Amino acid sequence: METRTINANRIVVKVGTSSLIHPNGAVNLETFDQLAYTLSALNNQGKELILVSSGAIGVGLNKMHLKKRPTEIGAQQALAAIGQSELMTLFTQRFDHYLTDIAQVLLTHDIFDYPKSNKFAMDTFNCLLNDNVIPIVNENDTVATDELDHHTTFGDNDQLSAIVASHMNADLLIVLSDIDGFYDQNPKKFADANLISNVASINDDEFTIAGGAGSRFGTGGMHTKLIAAKRMIDEDRAMVLANGKDPRIIFDILAGKPVGTLFSKECMTHE
Ligand SMILES: Nc1ncnc2c1ncn2[C@@H]1O[C@H](COP(=O)(O)OP(=O)(O)O)[C@@H](O)[C@H]1O
Ligand SMILES: N[C@@H](CCC(=O)OP(=O)(O)O)C(=O)O
């Protein structure tokens, strides 16, 4: 059987809205629970973990009994503010159950561009990791609109997670989404799409099969995941894109099982 060599101690895990919220808009309690269980178990093993979690708007929509994400940026920001505290309440409950401490870290992409704020952010992360606390990161949606205003920019938590992985010198970025990995065409549109198990470099061809930015309203789609993956490859790190419907898949990824898509310059796959 095919296996992979994955040596990772410092790991950034990114989970998308699609994994945390059911298609009917309700909170996916199994995902929250299994994510907390998995990360707590790995934390107990001595791994250093940072969770980048989307879902503030999704949880906010559910809390306010709204079915559709509003188009107005201010309304989305208000929902993110409502949902973010609820999101952290959900995580606090589940992580408490597994006796694991967590912390909320809200960032904007540009924080890392300024030496002073970059240092403050890094010091915070390092103190939390030294104290065995799992930082849970989201973009600070009140002051940043790059995730929300897809008419002007296409930043999102996929890229934020890559920026965090890069600055925190993580070995591995795991991106959990609603899809089993990166396919040769969008599997939501083409039933005969094939999963690509290993990607060593990302060029125009890969971006073409990922579809345009924001292929699904309100998210970055596969495009932003590829930008994140490209950054990881260029920096000699690795990224695995896998299905987040059961976050215990992270155990399989770390055990070297060939799940999802591994983005890595080195060939880490063996027969
Ligand atoms: N080549 C491709 N392989 C896999 N998924 C693709 C591809 N092209 C486009 N997609 C779309 O990207 C989606 C995942 O991105 P997104 O909806 O932003 O998820 P998340 O909320 O987890 O960030 C998939 O559900 C799929 O519709
Ligand atoms: N920061 C916002 C938007 C995040 C977002 O849409 O991202 P994703 O689900 O990862 O594509 C939130 O937490 O809802």
Side-chain angles (χ1 to χ4, degrees), residues 14 18 177-178 181 183 186-188 209-210 216 219 221-222 225:
K14 186 262 170 176
S18 57
S177 185
D178 64 345
Y183 287 73
N186 186 347
K188 294 269 169 78
I209 57 177
R216 187 161 71 85
T219 72
M222 194 49 53
K225 288 170 186 45

Side-chain angles (χ1 to χ4, degrees), residues 13 48 92 234:
V13 175
E48 293 181 315
T92 301
D234 289 348

Side-chain angles (χ1 to χ4, degrees), residues 26 114 130 154 184 232:
Y114 300 97
N130 283 340
F154 289 94
D184 56 2
M232 294 298 94

Side-chain angles (χ1 to χ4, degrees), residues 14-18 53-58 69 80 84 87 138-139 141 147-148 156-158 216 218-221 225:
K14 186 262 170 176
V15 62
T17 307
S18 57
S53 177
S54 302
I57 293 178
R69 187 167 167 151
Q84 180 62 29
L87 182 68
N138 197 353
E139 182 150 34
D141 292 317
E147 286 177 28
L148 311 175
D156 84 336
N157 275 349
D158 296 322
R216 187 161 71 85
T219 72
K225 288 170 186 45

Side-chain angles (χ1 to χ4, degrees), residues 182 202 206-207 210 222-230 263:
F182 180 52
I202 295 177
E206 282 74 24
F207 279 111
M222 194 49 53
H223 186 87
T224 51
K225 288 170 186 45
L226 284 194
I227 298 175
K230 185 165 169 42
F263 297 89

Side-chain angles (χ1 to χ4, degrees), residues 121 128 142 176 198 231 253:
L128 291 169
T142 305
L176 298 177
N198 295 285
R231 181 172 184 144
I253 293 169

Side-chain angles (χ1 to χ4, degrees), residues 51-235:
L51 175 62
V52 177
S53 177
S54 302
I57 293 178
V59 172
L61 283 167
N62 184 51
K63 190 164 173 72
M64 301 311 282
H65 310 289
L66 297 172
K67 285 278 166 242
K68 249 183 70 194
R69 187 167 167 151
T71 45
E72 199 207 319
I73 303 296
Q76 292 187 42
Q77 289 175 304
L79 279 171
I82 294 164
Q84 180 62 29
S85 68
E86 190 73 4
L87 182 68
M88 289 309 294
T89 301
L90 287 160
F91 278 128
T92 301
Q93 286 171 350
R94 296 327 304 151
F95 276 97
D96 271 357
H97 184 74
Y98 298 109
L99 309 174
T100 302
D101 295 318
I102 57 169
Q104 172 182 260
V105 178
L106 297 180
L107 297 173
T108 47
H109 292 219
D110 62 355
I111 273 177
F112 301 95
D113 299 335
Y114 300 97
K116 254 193 180 168
S117 51
N118 179 44
K119 184 182 179 313
F120 288 143
M122 294 306 102
D123 287 350
T124 305
F125 275 118
N126 283 320
C127 283
L128 291 169
L129 294 179
N130 283 340
D131 288 345
N132 250 350
V133 178
I134 299 181
I136 301 188
V137 179
N138 197 353
E139 182 150 34
N140 185 347
D141 292 317
T142 305
V143 298
T145 56
D146 41 10
E147 286 177 28
L148 311 175
D149 181 5
H150 284 190
H151 300 294
T152 54
T153 51
F154 289 94
D156 84 336
N157 275 349
D158 296 322
Q159 288 181 72
L160 185 65
S161 64
I163 292 171
V164 170
S166 165
H167 283 264
M168 286 305 292
N169 200 17
D171 309 302
L172 176 67
L173 170 62
I174 297 175
V175 175
L176 298 177
S177 185
D178 64 345
I179 204 87
D180 287 342
F182 180 52
Y183 287 73
D184 56 2
Q185 52 188 338
N186 186 347
K188 294 269 169 78
K189 289 188 185 156
F190 302 95
D192 60 342
N194 295 306
L195 181 73
I196 304 171
S197 168
N198 295 285
V199 176
S201 66
I202 295 177
N203 305 299
D204 290 350
D205 288 352
E206 282 74 24
F207 279 111
T208 306
I209 57 177
S215 53
R216 187 161 71 85
F217 175 74
T219 72
M222 194 49 53
H223 186 87
T224 51
K225 288 170 186 45
L226 284 194
I227 298 175
K230 185 165 169 42
R231 181 172 184 144
M232 294 298 94
I233 291 174
D234 289 348
E235 293 178 1

